[in-house]
Amino acid sequence: MESSGEYAKRVLRKYEFKTKKSLGQNFLVDDGAIDRIISYVPEGSAVLEIGPGIGLLTRRLVERAGRVTAVEIDGKLCEILNEELGSEVLKVIDADIMVTDIDAILPEKSIAVANIPYYITTPIILKILTSSDMIEGALLTIQKEAADKVAAAPGERGYGILSLISSIYSEPEILFNISREAFIPQPKVESSVVRFNKKKPELPVGERDLIRVIKTSFGKRRKTIVNSLSGLYAGDKDRLKKLLEEEGIDPMARPETLGIHEFETITGIIKAADKLGRP
């Protein structure tokens, strides 16, 4: 098999393809990094590849996996994938993953594999973790800064919505980092490969209610928790402050210092006041 660098040069030249910055097209061409990613994909498994590009990971996945469903937003790349890598194992779908019903396109439980464009990292992670029963895990190459946010604990730099959602729906693990030199064209940032082992949330409150409280809290990040959430609470701010104090939560704390259990408690307080509607 030709090296990833050779494959990329040949395909880009053959099809006169120019990468689109607007779609965040940075192709991983380092064979060592690709080998490490592939090693975490169980042999014979079903894979959902998001944004396969010219097929640098795809050509290795079709050898290792039992089935690969590749969703690509760029129609020209879909043509390239089918011509270069077409096989019974591979199904290429010309679509935007953000508006695609994942459960409708997957015939069986699958692992999501992707080199995610930096500009859409958080929305894709949230979609993979929260909107599909057919995805049982994910292996994602993302911006290192985003990976640090995924793994951040309360009070640490970057801790926020992505950290909380990731911990609710999965057990995330940063596997290794990838230098910017491993991509063409070369991005301005380093990347990390993160494995998300999905789990079924066991929550004392409704998922939608909890997510809304979390998003509302971090939407006003510089405010204290009592000020951020007073609009969701049916009573007055002083009453909310008292209830938080009774539960051992500092009403003057900022959201980035609170863990998942505190947010569950806060959700219960607000829900009890019957002001929390559906998102």
Side-chain angles (χ1 to χ4, degrees):
M1 176 183 287
E2 60 190 328
S3 72
S4 295
E6 292 169 342
Y7 173 85
K9 289 178 182 178
R10 177 180 63 78
V11 169
L12 293 174
R13 183 171 56 249
K14 176 180 177 181
Y15 297 95
E16 299 180 342
F17 183 82
K18 303 295 184 183
T19 58
K20 299 180 179 68
K21 188 175 181 180
S22 63
L23 294 180
Q25 292 174 337
N26 300 93
F27 303 140
L28 178 61
V29 295
D30 184 278
D31 284 316
I34 292 174
D35 286 343
R36 293 184 70 181
I37 292 171
I38 294 298
S39 72
Y40 288 100
V41 178
E43 291 190 29
S45 60
V47 170
L48 167 66
E49 187 180 11
I50 300 170
I54 58 175
L56 288 154
L57 268 177
T58 316
R59 67 192 191 126
R60 298 290 304 280
L61 287 171
V62 296
E63 292 184 338
R64 187 172 182 88
R67 182 194 303 271
V68 178
T69 301
V71 178
E72 172 58 58
I73 194 173
D74 190 320
K76 177 64 175 178
L77 289 177
C78 290
E79 295 176 9
I80 293 174
L81 288 165
N82 280 318
E83 185 164 338
E84 291 290 327
L85 305 174
S87 72
E88 294 182 357
V89 175
L90 176 64
K91 179 180 181 181
V92 178
I93 298 175
D94 184 352
D96 179 354
I97 192 65
M98 292 307 301
V99 295
T100 298
D101 182 348
I102 293 178
D103 288 355
I105 64 172
L106 295 179
E108 58 187 300
K109 295 279 189 178
S110 302
I111 299 169
V113 177
N115 173 21
I116 299 181
Y118 301 133
Y119 76 97
I120 200 170
T121 297
T122 297
I124 289 183
I125 291 176
L126 296 183
K127 184 176 179 73
I128 289 172
L129 293 182
T130 66
S131 69
S132 174
D133 292 328
M134 297 296 285
I135 297 295
E136 57 186 5
L139 192 60
L140 309 178
T141 302
I142 61 178
Q143 184 177 348
K144 185 178 184 300
E145 182 181 351
D148 291 340
K149 289 180 179 180
V150 166
E156 294 182 348
R157 182 179 179 181
Y159 178 76
I161 295 174
L162 190 55
S163 318
L164 284 158
I165 299 296
S166 297
S167 67
I168 291 171
Y169 293 96
S170 73
E171 294 174 353
E173 176 187 6
I174 298 177
L175 299 177
F176 59 92
N177 299 324
I178 302 178
S179 168
R180 68 190 74 181
E181 286 81 15
F183 298 85
I184 58 168
Q186 190 178 128
K188 296 179 180 180
V189 296
E190 304 295 305
S191 297
S192 297
V193 177
V194 182
R195 178 166 58 187
F196 295 81
N197 299 307
K198 282 187 70 175
K199 64 182 181 182
K200 186 174 179 59
E202 296 182 359
L203 303 170
V205 293
E207 289 181 38
R208 288 188 175 186
D209 295 335
L210 176 61
I211 299 304
R212 189 180 185 194
V213 166
I214 290 172
K215 288 184 175 180
T216 301
S217 299
F218 284 93
K220 302 174 181 178
R221 196 181 188 97
R222 295 185 179 181
K223 290 190 174 184
T224 62
I225 196 69
V226 70
N227 286 329
S228 296
L229 296 174
S230 58
L232 290 180
Y233 182 66
D236 60 40
K237 188 186 297 185
D238 288 339
R239 175 60 178 164
L240 176 57
K241 182 178 178 180
K242 184 175 185 299
L243 291 172
L244 290 172
E245 289 174 339
E246 289 176 354
E247 294 293 341
I249 298 172
D250 180 2
M252 305 309 290
R254 300 192 185 279
E256 58 266 31
T257 66
L258 302 177
I260 184 60
H261 296 303
E262 284 84 3
F263 279 107
E264 291 172 349
T265 299
I266 293 169
T267 302
I269 290 172
I270 295 177
K271 187 64 176 176
D274 201 27
K275 178 94 186 253
L276 189 62
R278 289 191 177 277

